[in-house]
Amino acid sequence: MGTLFDLTGKTALITGSSRGIGKAIAHRMAEHGANVVVSSRKADACEAAVAEINAAVGREAAVSIPANIADKGSLQALVDATLAKFGQIDSLVCNAASNPYFGPQSGISDEAFTKILQNNIVSNHWLIAMVAPAMRARKDGSVTIVSSIGGLRGSPILGAYCISKA
């Protein structure tokens, strides 16, 4: 792959990166030189993704730091462990999200709606609040929040998820 940009020496923290879109983001960032933190709730899935990424790029580019996005303390531990390992966070990618309910908005329970808002909105707010001050201080860094077409177009079975992505 040709070099589109150089992330050598940069550190990327990517939530929901043990599979799917998050893992693909971690792969690409590592290919472009970044150190990447693979994070999701499941440690074994994180370790498998880390092994795959490191084998693909031929260096120890990825590390596993599991965390639960629904828990502020777990997110602070994720940020603290990333800083302890790499010294700073240059790129935060808020990719993790959840959707525990499929059906019309009129049928969602308060508990399911609250979980969607917690995981898809509040957790991003917490992480940004944890990493943005250092980025502002050094006038460098990026925050990416992964969205969905659902944020632009409603759905009869994914209403709450679409609201959270808008």
Side-chain angles (χ1 to χ4, degrees):
M1 171 184 286
T3 300
L4 298 173
F5 45 86
D6 185 10
L7 297 175
T8 302
K10 302 290 184 179
T11 298
L13 168 54
I14 308 151
T15 65
S17 51
S18 64
R19 61 188 179 96
I21 292 169
K23 186 167 81 169
I25 292 168
H27 264 279
R28 298 303 84 77
M29 292 183 99
E31 285 175 357
H32 291 284
N35 295 311
V36 297
V37 175
V38 173
S39 187
S40 73
R41 287 176 296 135
K42 299 177 181 172
D44 59 337
C46 290
E47 291 296 334
V50 163
E52 182 182 319
I53 292 166
N54 288 341
V57 300
R59 65 183 178 89
E60 296 295 316
V63 299
S64 167
I65 306 175
N68 180 346
I69 61 169
D71 179 70
K72 190 174 188 178
S74 183
L75 293 178
Q76 187 63 62
L78 169 63
V79 168
D80 292 346
T82 301
L83 294 173
K85 174 73 177 169
F86 295 112
Q88 70 183 35
I89 297 168
D90 300 287
S91 180
L92 171 64
V93 180
C94 298
N95 174 66
S98 66
N99 184 42
Y101 174 76
F102 294 89
Q105 188 71 18
S106 61
I108 192 169
S109 69
D110 288 346
E111 180 181 284
F113 188 73
T114 299
K115 182 174 183 172
I116 290 169
L117 296 179
Q118 173 62 51
N119 289 349
N120 302 2
I121 298 172
V122 175
S123 66
N124 293 344
H125 165 72
W126 287 341
L127 275 169
I128 293 164
M130 291 172 190
V131 304
M135 290 177 175
R136 275 193 308 269
R138 65 177 189 273
K139 297 181 181 181
D140 188 31
S142 68
V143 175
T144 303
I145 301 172
V146 175
S147 188
S148 165
I149 189 65
L152 300 173
R153 189 176 342 174
S155 165
I157 61 168
L158 297 173
Y161 178 82
C162 293
I163 290 167
S164 77
K165 291 301 184 171

